Amino acid sequence: MQRRAAAIYVAFFLVVGAASFSLIATASAPQLSFENPEHELGQGDSFTLNGQEYTVSGISAEMEGGDGGGHGGGGQAHLVRSGTIEFTNESARYTVEWANGSTVTYEGTDWAVTTDNASSSVTLVESIDRAAILQNDTDVENETTTVDGTEYVVERAGDNGSRNLIPVDEYFPEPDTREYEVGDEVDNIENNTATVDSVTPEAATLTYTAPRTNEISVADKAQVTVGSTQYFAYFPDNSTMVLSTNFETYEQYQDETAMQTRMTNGLWGITILSGVSAVFLIGLAYLPSRY
């Protein structure tokens, strides 16, 4: 091949490759933006939906992936934004279960639980800490004794060396007993008044209503349900949460992004092919001629 002709072709391919590369370098990525979104919020901001107040309790931006650690392990690091919305249900339903045969702590005292399905009742019998009572009484031994099948508390020997045996039923206080039926109210359950909702052979179930704080996790460029409304969530920066019902805007953004990706890949193909062609032509131009 004549070197002059080769130089012309090489110059052509270099110009084409440079032009395609310049298009790649100067092309701007599609920008996602919403006109008049329903909510544009910062941390601590609130909005009301169907009578319920919602508050943005947190917005975070963390780097993930890359060699520097993060949650994603290796690969290129990228910024991940997310947020949290809180709301309080003022009349949430709570349940407390007292299992049959168990010991529960109520009003600072331990109680043995017995349920009676036939009468739909639950009985609490105070648990007497016999060991603690004996240890606190210096006039008796720390352990009881059993004589002829009867359990006694042993009074310490006096000056005459004699010891008295006191029947445990006479020494220890009679345990308090409380009985509740289905529909009865029980005070001081988690600082609330509960109602005995049901009684089975396995357990008694108590219910009460009280405020409950709930959290909604919000991911970037994802759908989130707040109340009965579905929003598209977007974080344009590290301190702003956008909620919009205009899902068509994001779909259009995805289409534009996909189109740009295809165009960029095509331009890279032209750039690489032009460079390879130029190198190939230079090689051919310097091949020795047989004539």
Side-chain angles (χ1 to χ4, degrees), residues 7-265:
I8 294 174
Y9 285 117
V10 168
F12 170 76
F13 282 118
L14 290 178
V15 170
V16 172
S20 62
F21 181 77
S22 65
L23 289 175
I24 295 172
T26 57
S28 59
Q31 298 297 316
L32 178 60
S33 62
F34 293 87
E35 293 185 4
N36 302 318
E38 280 75 6
H39 306 288
E40 188 169 352
L41 309 159
Q43 183 165 321
D45 290 345
S46 300
F47 64 97
T48 301
L49 184 64
N50 297 327
Q52 176 68 59
E53 184 179 29
Y54 298 88
T55 302
V56 178
S57 58
I59 295 177
S60 65
E62 299 179 353
M63 295 299 297
E64 294 190 358
D67 297 333
H71 304 295
Q76 185 177 2
H78 60 283
L79 183 65
V80 176
R81 294 172 176 146
S82 61
T84 304
I85 297 175
E86 287 187 353
F87 67 97
T88 300
N89 184 349
E90 296 295 339
S91 57
R93 186 175 186 268
Y94 292 81
T95 60
V96 176
E97 187 174 274
W98 287 348
N100 185 29
S102 67
T103 299
V104 300
T105 300
Y106 171 57
E107 294 185 332
T109 302
D110 291 338
W111 304 80
V113 179
T114 303
T115 61
D116 188 344
N117 188 48
S119 62
S120 298
S121 64
V122 55
T123 302
L124 301 182
V125 178
E126 182 184 11
S127 298
I128 303 299
D129 191 347
R130 293 186 174 187
I133 294 175
L134 293 175
Q135 289 177 359
N136 291 330
D137 189 349
T138 58
D139 293 331
V140 299
E141 300 288 344
N142 290 337
E143 295 182 358
T144 61
T145 186
T146 300
V147 178
D148 295 333
T150 302
E151 188 178 10
Y152 296 92
V153 172
V154 182
E155 190 175 21
R156 297 184 187 274
D159 294 338
N160 58 3
S162 61
R163 299 191 305 172
N164 293 328
L165 298 179
I166 307 172
V168 292
D169 293 341
E170 297 179 9
Y171 178 83
F172 293 109
E174 184 176 355
D176 187 12
T177 300
R178 301 184 185 184
E179 184 174 346
Y180 304 96
E181 297 180 354
V182 171
D184 288 349
E185 292 185 343
V186 184
D187 295 328
N188 300 321
I189 300 295
E190 304 291 339
N191 298 320
N192 293 276
T193 298
T195 301
V196 180
D197 186 70
S198 63
V199 175
T200 67
E202 290 75 27
T205 301
L206 290 73
T207 62
Y208 64 92
T209 58
R212 174 185 289 157
T213 299
N214 303 276
E215 288 188 351
I216 302 173
S217 297
V218 184
D220 189 23
K221 297 178 183 176
Q223 181 175 302
V224 61
T225 301
V226 181
S228 58
T229 304
Q230 291 184 340
Y231 292 102
F232 179 80
Y234 171 54
F235 295 83
D237 53 51
N238 294 344
S239 59
T240 305
M241 176 191 298
V242 173
L243 300 178
S244 174
T245 57
N246 187 2
F247 291 91
E248 292 78 8
T249 296
Y250 182 63
E251 293 173 357
Q252 182 180 356
Y253 164 78
Q254 286 183 307
D255 292 340
E256 294 175 354
T257 301
M259 180 179 297
Q260 188 198 39
T261 300
R262 290 194 298 270
M263 293 178 61
T264 301
N265 291 339

